[in-house]
Amino acid sequence: MEKLKYALFTGCTAKESTPEQMMSTLAVANKLGIELVELTEASCCGASHLQDYDDFLSLVLNARNIAYAEKHGLTMVTICNTCQLNTAMTKHRLDNNAELKAKVNAKLAEVGLEYKGTSQITHFLYAIIDDFGLDKIKEMVVKPLSQFNIAPFYGCHNIRPSELQNATHKSPENAYNPTSLDDLIIACGGANVDYAEKNKCCGFHAELQSPRTAAVLTGNAVAGAMDANADWMVTPCPLCHLKLDTQTHHASVAIGREVSLPVLHMQQMVGLALGCTPAELGLSHHVTKVDFI
Amino acid sequence: MDSLKTQQVTFKVFRFNEETDYLPYYNTYTLDVTHEEVVLDILNRIKWDHDGSLSYRRSCRHGICGVCAIKTNGKAVLACKTRLFDLIDIFGNEITIEPLSTKRAIKDLIIDKKDFWDKHAQAKPYLEADIDEHPAQENLVSPHDAEKLLEADYCIQCGACHYSCPSLEINEQYMGPAAFAAAYRFSADVRDDASIERLHIVNEEAQGVWDCVKCMECAEVCPKEVNPIEKITKLHNMIFEAAVAKNNVATRHAVGFAHSIEKHGLLDEGELVRYSEGNIGVLKHVPVALKMFAKGKIVLPWNMPKSDKLDEIKKLVKSSSTVKF
Ligand code: SF4
Ligand code: SF4
Ligand code: SF4
Ligand code: SF4
Ligand code: FES
């Protein structure tokens, strides 16, 4: 197989509050022989909030990020669900609206850039599943996660709206019964846990303006995983991770029940199965202690 | 799968009678279903062949009246529009049929939809305009202006989004996606004079658009492709454009991204929280922030990373900004 190569859009979180996400992404890519060219010029995608204030500015900034991936002639890989949604949504809107694309390009021209629409945008989870292949992951597993019940937490912005999301990867995902992360858990030798909240919202985006709603959603998600006998949770999104890992106190108060589980990034789970060390995966950067290694 | 003409499906059907039952229960039926049958056909067969007391709403059978919305394995659907074979593709051969909201059940699949209609009415889902009672000519709307309504006009008030919205499930004041789609529908209409009034209604804390958690479920579930979350984003934009936005944590949270991007290219997470909450409000985040700091999860201001080619980003933020706060 030809060596896989992508343009990596890290997003902000990987550079700030989830350093372990950046570490584990690089460690896993290294193990799998995937080359990641980091888009160091990229800006924040606006995290689904900038567009509420200034939709056009959000489009211009996201188009600029994609234009840098296009310059490399590479598919853009994201490691954050919200980055994925915002970037893919921008691409979808520009590719289907010539007038809007021209308006955005008029701005990009001021800095010598152009959005063409030539790069695909996919989340690292689907790059692993579609391009690398679960069978090959299975073969490479040296430390199967066989003693663990693992609860997949998909995160809204990787599965909804499914029409947009499914256009960015090959394996079809149904928003009401997603399977990709379950399949990855199984490929890593773990047992996947089924629970009602696995495709629900963690509340992250309303944390400041609607703290109770956000805390109840987090509490419900962790409680659902605990009740299904999960040993830990895994997510492809650093924002879900932040919410589930650092906000368990508020969540417990909100739902009137003590809830807490270790939460791993998808990359950390794969890394563990492939034999990366806890230090390489940044497991010490979690607020809820990863106590099972 | 397509070559198969019938499949055996086990249906677990929610039963409850407000007048006689203390708790709901489920009846199970195993039926052979054909590839052309929709959920409503199954409900009819259960009612006509097995249990005449099963209650559910249906009228048009054409996906137009919106009364037949129910949940199948948690997914809200129009019973008259949803093929069983499509559900089997997603969920397999065990299908649980429940009302849109079990806690609002009156009898079986029939719910009390009062909260939906109250919130819909709150959005003033009608045109308000000074009407010339003896107009000399028709009041025309150009195709361009009509397009601005997007798909908001297609809503059939089925409630599928409303009873799937996680914000609304937790915060009973929240108006919900269908009410917001209606608010957008009429506020975006060139003939309407109540736009500002409606924007004030949807701008209110707790009930308004700021309490949306952006889960995208309303876009996913809507059987008429209304895409309510897109309309919610439009309402956010209109709130800023019309200067209806208040200076509060929710608005500052959206605006803060622009400030941060202009300064660093990236989001300054700590500064966003401080700017959104204000210097006093931010204190409630200190306990979590300290725990995060201990784990190396907080970047101090002087270590804040910056995007390469930041000058490009600064220039674009200046030249492409379309609103002021
Ligand atoms: S979604 Fe979050 S991590 Fe992704 S770019 Fe935007 S702010 Fe940064
Ligand atoms: S769609 Fe119109 S005609 Fe058909 S049942 Fe509903 S209200 Fe009646
Ligand atoms: S996106 Fe917002 S309005 Fe739509 S279902 Fe989610 S929380 Fe409700
Ligand atoms: S927006 Fe869609 S799902 Fe919501 S009430 Fe209207 S038609 Fe039903
Ligand atoms: S019966 Fe009218 S929409 Fe289904």
Side-chain angles (χ1 to χ4, degrees):
Chain A
M1 187 167 83
E2 216 181 303
K3 190 171 177 177
L4 293 172
K5 187 174 174 183
Y6 304 99
L8 173 66
F9 176 39
T10 65
C12 315
T13 316
K15 301 271 177 185
E16 298 177 52
S17 52
T18 57
E20 73 282 1
Q21 180 215 7
M22 192 69 195
M23 298 163 77
S24 55
T25 299
L26 299 179
V28 164
N30 189 32
K31 280 268 183 212
L32 301 180
I34 295 175
E35 188 177 342
L36 298 175
V37 181
E38 188 182 330
L39 296 171
T40 52
E41 307 88 350
S43 72
C44 172
C45 71
S48 83
H49 295 289
L50 177 62
Q51 80 237 34
D52 289 346
Y53 172 52
D54 194 332
D55 185 54
F56 184 67
L57 177 60
S58 160
L59 280 174
V60 169
L61 291 170
N62 281 301
R64 176 180 169 277
N65 293 345
I66 305 168
Y68 273 102
E70 292 178 354
K71 273 190 153 190
H72 290 286
L74 294 172
T75 292
M76 178 194 268
V77 148
T78 58
I79 51 175
C80 165
N81 289 12
T82 301
C83 298
Q84 174 63 30
L85 175 66
N86 278 314
T87 319
M89 185 78 92
T90 300
K91 179 177 171 60
H92 175 80
R93 286 174 63 189
L94 297 184
D95 290 352
N96 291 291
N97 184 341
E99 196 185 322
L100 191 60
K101 185 171 156 185
K103 264 178 80 179
V104 166
N105 271 331
K107 293 295 171 195
L108 291 181
E110 293 171 8
V111 295
L113 290 169
E114 187 192 354
Y115 170 86
K116 298 194 183 80
T118 49
S119 279
Q120 297 305 307
I121 300 161
T122 194
H123 191 286
F124 196 35
L125 170 67
Y126 296 108
I128 289 179
I129 291 178
D130 288 343
D131 303 345
F132 191 85
L134 286 175
D135 289 343
K136 278 182 65 192
I137 297 267
K138 245 180 243 169
E139 283 166 25
M140 293 176 71
V141 168
V142 292
K143 284 195 180 159
L145 307 172
S146 44
Q147 68 271 47
F148 301 120
N149 290 325
I150 308 169
F153 190 80
Y154 282 82
C156 310
H157 292 177
N158 231 8
I159 54 174
R160 285 183 290 268
S162 57
E163 207 178 311
L164 174 78
Q165 303 286 2
N166 277 332
T168 70
H169 51 79
K170 291 179 210 120
S171 355
E173 187 96 279
N174 192 286
Y176 295 97
N177 191 12
T179 52
S180 59
L181 204 48
D182 288 82
D183 295 343
L184 189 62
I185 292 170
I186 295 165
C188 292
N192 59 321
V193 162
D194 195 22
Y195 63 117
E197 291 79 12
K198 74 176 182 181
N199 57 352
K200 300 285 185 313
C201 181
C202 72
F204 179 89
H205 291 280
E207 192 174 316
L208 297 186
Q209 64 274 34
S210 192
R212 197 182 81 88
T213 299
V216 171
L217 288 174
T218 302
N220 289 349
V222 182
M226 290 172 79
D227 291 345
N229 282 324
D231 298 310
W232 40 282
M233 301 173 80
V234 65
T235 174
C237 178
L239 308 184
C240 303
H241 184 274
L242 277 172
K243 194 80 176 73
L244 300 168
D245 175 54
T246 71
Q247 298 287 332
T248 46
H249 171 69
H250 296 307
S252 301
V253 172
I255 66 166
R257 173 184 161 187
E258 206 55 49
V259 288
S260 163
L261 276 181
V263 187
L264 267 65
H265 298 276
M266 173 268 293
Q267 297 92 320
Q268 291 176 315
M269 175 183 77
V270 176
L272 283 178
L274 297 180
C276 298
T277 65
E280 284 175 295
L281 301 173
L283 290 177
S284 61
H285 286 293
H286 293 223
V287 167
T288 304
K289 210 168 159 32
V290 181
D291 50 8
F292 54 83
I293 302 295
Chain B
M1 179 86 68
D2 273 345
S3 62
L4 273 177
K5 288 280 177 268
T6 67
Q7 291 217 56
Q8 199 173 68
V9 179
T10 302
F11 295 95
K12 260 178 70 188
V13 185
F14 178 95
R15 304 301 304 267
F16 179 67
N17 183 344
E18 193 183 51
E19 285 171 5
T20 53
D21 297 331
Y22 180 59
L23 284 175
Y25 58 99
Y26 289 80
N27 279 348
T28 303
Y29 305 92
T30 300
L31 303 175
D32 286 329
V33 304
T34 65
H35 68 99
E36 73 269 14
E37 278 183 306
V38 294
V39 178
L40 183 58
D41 294 322
I42 301 305
L43 295 177
N44 287 339
R45 277 170 60 191
I46 294 174
K47 185 175 181 73
W48 296 337
D49 301 344
H50 299 274
D51 184 347
S53 72
L54 178 66
S55 302
Y56 48 95
R57 287 193 175 115
R58 78 268 186 266
S59 182
C60 73
R61 207 222 167 278
H62 280 93
I64 291 295
C65 71
V67 302
C68 67
I70 52 161
K71 281 188 181 169
T72 52
N73 291 22
K75 173 180 162 53
V77 297
L78 291 183
C80 72
K81 203 183 160 219
T82 307
R83 290 168 69 237
L84 255 307
F85 273 37
D86 290 338
L87 291 179
I88 295 168
D89 272 348
I90 307 172
F91 297 117
N93 291 48
E94 279 178 32
I95 305 287
T96 301
I97 297 180
E98 290 172 316
L100 276 183
S101 169
T102 51
K103 67 182 176 202
R104 293 179 179 85
I106 300 171
K107 182 146 193 303
D108 304 335
L109 305 178
I110 296 175
I111 63 165
D112 177 356
K113 227 170 132 180
K114 181 175 188 306
D115 72 306
F116 176 92
W117 295 116
D118 286 350
K119 287 168 177 175
H120 200 250
Q122 202 182 348
K124 296 183 174 281
Y126 38 79
L127 288 180
E128 285 200 18
D130 278 333
I131 299 290
D132 176 358
E133 287 187 11
H134 305 285
Q137 61 189 71
E138 277 178 280
N139 197 355
L140 294 177
V141 176
S142 73
H144 177 78
D145 286 333
E147 265 170 32
K148 284 196 200 131
L149 307 182
L150 300 166
E151 313 87 349
D153 231 1
Y154 300 165
C155 176
I156 56 172
Q157 288 92 43
C158 69
C161 60
H162 186 90
Y163 295 111
S164 301
C165 170
S167 291
L168 202 146
E169 180 72 24
I170 296 164
N171 166 11
E172 299 218 333
Q173 279 173 276
Y174 188 62
M175 290 168 69
F180 293 141
Y184 172 78
R185 157 66 187 85
F186 291 98
S187 292
D189 193 306
V190 286
R191 298 165 295 181
D192 179 67
D193 293 333
S195 166
I196 298 291
E197 197 186 331
R198 256 187 236 100
L199 290 178
H200 278 290
I201 294 168
V202 304
N203 185 43
E204 278 301 311
E205 279 170 65
Q207 73 184 34
V209 287
W210 301 103
D211 275 55
C212 168
V213 295
K214 298 178 181 280
C215 70
M216 306 281 150
E217 172 62 14
C218 51
E220 185 69 28
V221 80
C222 175
K224 305 305 269 188
E225 299 184 14
V226 170
N227 197 351
I229 178 65
E230 183 198 36
K231 313 302 173 280
I232 291 171
T233 304
K234 294 270 183 210
L235 288 171
H236 279 117
N237 294 157
M238 289 158 81
I239 285 169
F240 281 112
E241 284 156 14
V244 166
K246 297 180 195 167
N247 187 351
N248 61 24
V249 56
T251 52
R252 287 192 300 266
H253 183 230
V255 177
F257 277 85
H259 292 325
S260 196
I261 292 171
E262 182 166 20
K263 203 162 163 201
H264 309 282
L266 302 176
L267 172 68
D268 182 338
E269 297 169 331
E271 172 58 17
L272 179 73
V273 177
R274 196 209 56 80
Y275 175 76
S276 307
E277 294 279 18
N279 286 330
I280 297 190
V282 73
L283 295 177
K284 64 176 171 285
H285 298 284
V286 168
V288 172
L290 286 175
K291 284 191 214 163
M292 290 174 66
F293 183 73
K295 301 292 181 175
K297 292 174 102 55
I298 302 266
V299 173
L300 295 168
W302 47 90
N303 288 329
M304 183 55 209
K306 291 198 189 319
S307 302
D308 286 355
K309 307 210 174 147
L310 184 56
D311 52 317
E312 284 181 14
I313 296 170
K314 284 181 191 286
K315 196 169 170 188
L316 287 175
V317 173
K318 285 222 162 58
S319 79
S320 308
S321 291
T322 59
V323 266
K324 279 212 163 55
F325 178 59

